C-alpha cells in the first residue's frame, strides 16, 4: 500500500510540475482512489499508441487504472476544480484509428481497470435473466459480455464484427454490424448508463432520467462523459448459425437484393435473415485468401471466369440463426429466401458453426495476422455512411475507378434502415431512409509495393473524399476524424448547435476526449477561463 501511494504521489507531483495543478498531492491521496495512477513507462507508452498506428501523440502524464466509477469521478473532479486543469481521455481496447483516445499533458483512463496485483477490480457483468438485460462496466470487452450472458442462454441483440472492443468505446460511436438493419446499432439497445461528466459528476441516465445526457453520450465521441456502466438489452441466444455467401457481378442486382433483405426486418424470424453484410472483391488475391474457409485454395474462384462488371465482384454475406431443435427447417427457410435473390448461379458458399464462433470470427483472423506480423501495422481505415441514392455513383467512382483493382484489405458494404437509429443520439447519418456503410479496412505494409504504402493509401482516402464532394455524394464519416472546427461543424450539420450546447453543459472546460479534436481544452488563466470554440 505504501508503494502504491508513493507512485501516486509521484504521478500527481508530475501533474503539478507540468500543468500547474494547484492541489496539494496529499489531498488527492485522501480522495479514496482504489485503483492505480501509474507513470510506469510501459503504461504511458501503450496509452500513446492505438490500433491505427497513424499518429503518435506526446505521452500522457499518467495512466489511471480505475477500480470503480468513483475513481474516475475523483480524477475528473480534480481536473475540473484546478486552476489550470488537465485533460482526461478514456481508453478501452485501444482500437481507435486516429489517436481519438490519446491525450498529451493529461491522464488516460485505462478502462480495462486495475493492473494485475494492484487491488480492486471494476465490477463484473451482472445478468438479469428475467428482465433480459445485463449491467456491464464501461471498459468490459464485448467478448466477455457475450460469455457472461451466454451462461443464462442470452446474448445482446446488436454487435460489431470484432468483439475485442470495449462497451464504452462502441457506444460512444454507434456499434454496427450485420444485425443493425434489424435491431439498430448497439446504441439503440441500451436501457441505462452511468456516466462521469466533465465536471466529475457521476450520473445515472436513461430515457426517463437525465435523458439529455443519455442521448448525447450515445454516439457522442466521449465529449460529454465517460461511460462507466451500461445496461444492455438481451435476447435468447441461438445455438448455431448457417453462414452463407453468394457472388454478384452486377452492382445494381447486388444492392437491390441487399435492400430487399433489410426491408424484411418486420417479418417473422423464419421469413428473414438475421445478418446482412457484403464486401467488394476487386482482385484475385482477396477472394482466394481472405477468409479462405469459404474460398478454398484447392478450388480457387477466378474473377475473370465470372465476367465481373468493371473488374469487380460483390459478395453478399448473410446468416440464419437457429437452435438444434429447429435444425430440420433451416434448409427450407434458407432455400426460400435465396430463391428471391439474383446472384450468380452456382456461387453459393455455405458453412455451419456455433453462434459464438460466428460472432468471434474476426478474432480468429486476427490471430493469423498476428502470427505473420501483419496485425501491428498502420491501418488507414476510412468508414463512410453513403446515402442509398448515391451508392451507384460511389461504385462507379471508387470501386471501379479510384481503387484500380488494388484494395489492400477488406472493403465492407451493406445497407441499414435509418428508422432503427434514434435521431436524438449524437450520431450523424445521411438524411435518407436507407444508407450504406462502406468500410475500407486497409493495412499499410512496408513491402516495397507502392500501392500498399501508408502514403499511397492515405492519399487515396483523401482522393475518395474529394470525389464524394465533387460528385455531390453527401457522405458522413463513421468513426469520424477531422482536425478543424469548421469540418466538425459541417459534419454535425443541424446537430451542431445541440452538440455544442451539451458540451458546455456537461464538459464546459473541454477536459474530456481531447484526442477527438472536436474542442480545444479551456483552462483558466489567472482567475478567468480562456474561451475556445
Amino acid at each position: 500500500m505504501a508503494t502504491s501511494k508513493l507512485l501516486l504521489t509521484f504521478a500527481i507531483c508530475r501533474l503539478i510540475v507540468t500543468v500547474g495543478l494547484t492541489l496539494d498531492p496529499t489531498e488527492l491521496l485522501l480522495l479514496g482512489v482504489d485503483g492505480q495512477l501509474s507513470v510506469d513507462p510501459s503504461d504511458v507508452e501503450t496509452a500513446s499508441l492505438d490500433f491505427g498506428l497513424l499518429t503518435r501523440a506526446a505521452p500522457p502524464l499518467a495512466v489511471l487504472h480505475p477500480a470503480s466509477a468513483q475513481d474516475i469521478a475523483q480524477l475528473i473532479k480534480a481536473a475540473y476544480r484546478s486552476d489550470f486543469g488537465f485533460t482526461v481521455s478514456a481508453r478501452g481496447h485501444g482500437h481507435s484509428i486516429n489517436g481519438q483516445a490519446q491525450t498529451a499533458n493529461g491522464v488516460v483512463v485505462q478502462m480495462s481497470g486495475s493492473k494485475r496485483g494492484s487491488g480492486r477490480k471494476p465490477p463484473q457483468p451482472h445478468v438479469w435473466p428475467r428482465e433480459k438485460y445485463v449491467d456491464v462496466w464501461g471498459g468490459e470487452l464485448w467478448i466477455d459480455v457475450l460469455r457472461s450472458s451466454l451462461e443464462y442462454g442470452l446474448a445482446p441483440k446488436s454487435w460489431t464484427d470484432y468483439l475485442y472492443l470495449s462497451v464504452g468505446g462502441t457506444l460512444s460511436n454507434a456499434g454496427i454490424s450485420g444485425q443493425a438493419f434489424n435491431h439498430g446499432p448497439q446504441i439503440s439497445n441500451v436501457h441505462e448508463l452511468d456516466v462521469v461528466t466533465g465536471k466529475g459528476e457521476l450520473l445515472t441516465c436513461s430515457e426517463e432520467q437525465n435523458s439529455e445526457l443519455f442521448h448525447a453520450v450515445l454516439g457522442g465521441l466521449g465529449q460529454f462523459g465517460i461511460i462507466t456502466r451500461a445496461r444492455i438489452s438481451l435476447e435468447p441466444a441461438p445455438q448455431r448459425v448457417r453462414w452463407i455467401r453468394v457472388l454478384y457481378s452486377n452492382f445494381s442486382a447486388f444492392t437491390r437484393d441487399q435492400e430487399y433483405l433489410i426491408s424484411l426486418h418486420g417479418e417473422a424470424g423464419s421469413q428473414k435473415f438475421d445478418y446482412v453484410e457484403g464486401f467488394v472483391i476487386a482482385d484475385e488475391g482477396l477472394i482466394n485468401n481472405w477468409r479462405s474457409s469459404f474460398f478454398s485454395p484447392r478450388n480457387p474462384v477466378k474473377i475473370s471466369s465470372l465476367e465481373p462488371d468493371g473488374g469487380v465482384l460483390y459478395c453478399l454475406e448473410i446468416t440464419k440463426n437457429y437452435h438444434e431443435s429447429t435444425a430440420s427447417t433451416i434448409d427450407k427457410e434458407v432455400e426460400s429466401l435465396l430463391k428471391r435473390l439474383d446472384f450468380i448461379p452456382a456461387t453459393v458458399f455455405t458453412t455451419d458453426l456455433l453462434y459464438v464462433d460466428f460472432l468471434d470470427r474476426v478474432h480468429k483472423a486476427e490471430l493469423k495476422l498476428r502470427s505473420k506480423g501483419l496485425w501491428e501495422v498502420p491501418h488507414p481505415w476510412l468508414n463512410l455512411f453513403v446515402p442509398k441514392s448515391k451508392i451507384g455513383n460511389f461504385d462507379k467512382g471508387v470501386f471501379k475507378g479510384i481503387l484500380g483493382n488494388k484494395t489492400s484489405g477488406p472493403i465492407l458494404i451493406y445497407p441499414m434502415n435509418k428508422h432503427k437509429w434514434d435521431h436524438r443520439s449524437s450520431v450523424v447519418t445521411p438524411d435518407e431512409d436507407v444508407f450504406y456503410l462502406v468500410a475500407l479496412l486497409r493495412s499499410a505494409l512496408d513491402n516495397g509495393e507502392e500501392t500498399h504504402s501508408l502514403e499511397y493509401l492515405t492519399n487515396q482516402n483523401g482522393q475518395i473524399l474529394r470525389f464524394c464532394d465533387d460528385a455531390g455524394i453527401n457522405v458522413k464519416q463513421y468513426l469520424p476524424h477531422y482536425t478543424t472546427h469548421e469540418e466538425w461543424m459541417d459534419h454535425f450539420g443541424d446537430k451542431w448547435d445541440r452538440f455544442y450546447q451539451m458540451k458546455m453543459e456537461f464538459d464546459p472546460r473541454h477536459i474530456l476526449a481531447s484526442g477527438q479534436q472536436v474542442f480545444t481544452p479551456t483552462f483558466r488563466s489567472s482567475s478567468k477561463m480562456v474561451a475556445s470554440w
Side-chain angles (χ1 to χ4, degrees), residues 73 76-77 80-81 196-201 504-508:
I76 296 176
K77 198 174 295 181
Y80 179 68
R81 291 177 175 177
V196 179
T197 71
K199 298 177 182 179
E201 301 171 310
M504 294 308 297
E505 180 172 350
F506 295 110
D507 183 24

Side-chain angles (χ1 to χ4, degrees), residues 101-276:
Q102 298 170 5
T103 184
N105 296 325
V107 178
V108 168
V109 180
Q110 182 54 58
M111 291 298 293
S112 54
S114 299
K115 298 177 71 175
R116 289 182 181 178
S118 62
R120 286 182 52 193
K121 305 285 184 183
Q124 296 298 304
H126 184 157
V127 177
W128 302 77
R130 181 177 297 178
E131 294 82 359
K132 292 184 181 175
Y133 55 69
V134 56
D135 286 324
V136 295
W137 170 250
E140 201 74 51
L141 299 183
W142 282 100
I143 183 65
D144 295 319
V145 178
L146 174 62
R147 289 166 178 160
S148 297
S149 56
L150 282 177
E151 292 179 7
Y152 297 85
L154 301 170
K157 301 173 182 178
S158 191
W159 294 96
T160 54
D161 287 338
Y162 181 60
L163 301 188
Y164 288 74
L165 303 173
S166 70
V167 169
T170 66
L171 296 184
S172 294
N173 288 281
I176 54 175
S177 185
Q179 305 87 4
F181 83 93
N182 194 29
H183 295 292
Q186 290 180 321
I187 58 172
S188 294
N189 294 275
V190 179
H191 293 296
E192 187 177 273
L193 299 171
D194 284 346
V195 175
V196 179
T197 71
K199 298 177 182 179
E201 301 171 310
L202 176 56
L203 300 176
T204 297
C205 54
S206 65
E207 287 272 7
E208 294 78 27
Q209 182 180 5
N210 295 314
S211 60
E212 286 190 337
L213 178 62
F214 179 71
H215 295 299
V217 166
L218 293 172
L221 307 177
Q223 294 302 303
F224 314 111
I226 295 177
I227 297 171
T228 58
R229 178 184 64 91
R231 177 165 287 177
I232 308 296
S233 180
L234 302 176
E235 66 177 358
Q239 294 173 322
R240 300 194 65 83
V241 170
R242 180 69 54 84
W243 187 7
I244 305 155
R245 286 179 174 169
V246 295
L247 298 179
Y248 293 76
S249 60
N250 182 280
F251 185 72
S252 295
F254 170 69
T255 54
R256 184 169 56 248
D257 282 356
Q258 281 194 319
E259 290 165 17
Y260 167 70
L261 291 176
I262 73 165
S263 75
L264 302 177
H265 61 87
E267 300 295 327
S270 62
Q271 300 298 314
K272 63 185 176 184
F273 286 111
D274 297 291
Y275 163 102
V276 177

Side-chain angles (χ1 to χ4, degrees), residues 326-445:
T326 61
S328 60
T329 64
I330 189 69
D331 290 340
K332 185 177 294 186
E333 291 175 10
V334 168
E335 182 181 359
S336 174
L337 287 164
L338 289 179
K339 281 182 178 178
R340 309 173 201 175
L341 307 181
D342 192 22
F343 53 86
I344 301 172
T347 64
V348 180
F349 302 85
T350 303
T351 190
D352 203 277
L353 68 171
L354 292 172
Y355 179 63
V356 65
D357 289 340
F358 171 73
L359 291 179
D360 200 28
R361 62 199 180 280
V362 177
H363 182 56
K364 295 179 180 179
E366 173 194 348
L367 296 177
K368 291 180 181 179
L369 291 172
R370 284 188 182 278
S371 69
K372 298 176 181 179
L374 298 177
W375 184 257
E376 294 181 357
V377 298
H379 296 93
W381 287 7
L382 180 63
N383 293 271
L384 302 174
F385 288 147
V386 182
K388 169 188 168 181
S389 65
K390 299 292 185 179
I391 196 65
N393 303 70
F394 192 94
D395 170 59
K396 293 174 184 175
V398 178
F399 301 150
K400 297 187 179 83
I402 293 173
L403 293 183
N405 289 2
K406 295 292 182 181
T407 58
S408 300
I411 300 176
L412 307 184
I413 173 172
Y414 58 91
M416 289 171 281
N417 294 306
K418 187 178 178 72
H419 74 274
K420 295 289 185 176
W421 296 60
D422 193 323
H423 68 91
R424 295 170 296 179
S425 77
S426 293
V427 179
V428 181
T429 61
D431 191 22
E432 293 191 8
D433 291 341
V434 172
F435 61 91
Y436 281 78
L437 171 74
V438 176
L440 294 96
L441 309 180
R442 281 101 67 81
S443 299
L445 303 176

Side-chain angles (χ1 to χ4, degrees), residues 29 62 97 174 208 219 243 324 387 397 425 432 473 488:
L29 287 170
I97 300 300
E208 294 78 27
W243 187 7
E324 297 286 0
S425 77
E432 293 191 8
I473 304 175
W488 280 111

Side-chain angles (χ1 to χ4, degrees), residues 274-344:
D274 297 291
Y275 163 102
V276 177
E277 283 200 15
F279 56 90
V280 178
I281 303 166
D283 60 68
E284 299 280 1
L286 183 63
I287 193 171
N288 291 322
N289 293 324
W290 187 57
R291 298 180 178 178
S292 59
S293 61
F294 277 87
F295 309 118
S296 171
R298 291 174 296 178
N299 297 290
V301 177
K302 291 294 185 182
I303 289 182
S304 57
S305 68
L306 298 174
E307 299 180 356
D309 180 10
V312 179
L313 286 176
Y314 310 92
C315 180
L316 171 64
E317 182 176 61
I318 43 187
T319 71
K320 203 86 171 68
N321 301 336
Y322 69 98
H323 294 267
E324 297 286 0
S325 60
T326 61
S328 60
T329 64
I330 189 69
D331 290 340
K332 185 177 294 186
E333 291 175 10
V334 168
E335 182 181 359
S336 174
L337 287 164
L338 289 179
K339 281 182 178 178
R340 309 173 201 175
L341 307 181
D342 192 22
F343 53 86
I344 301 172

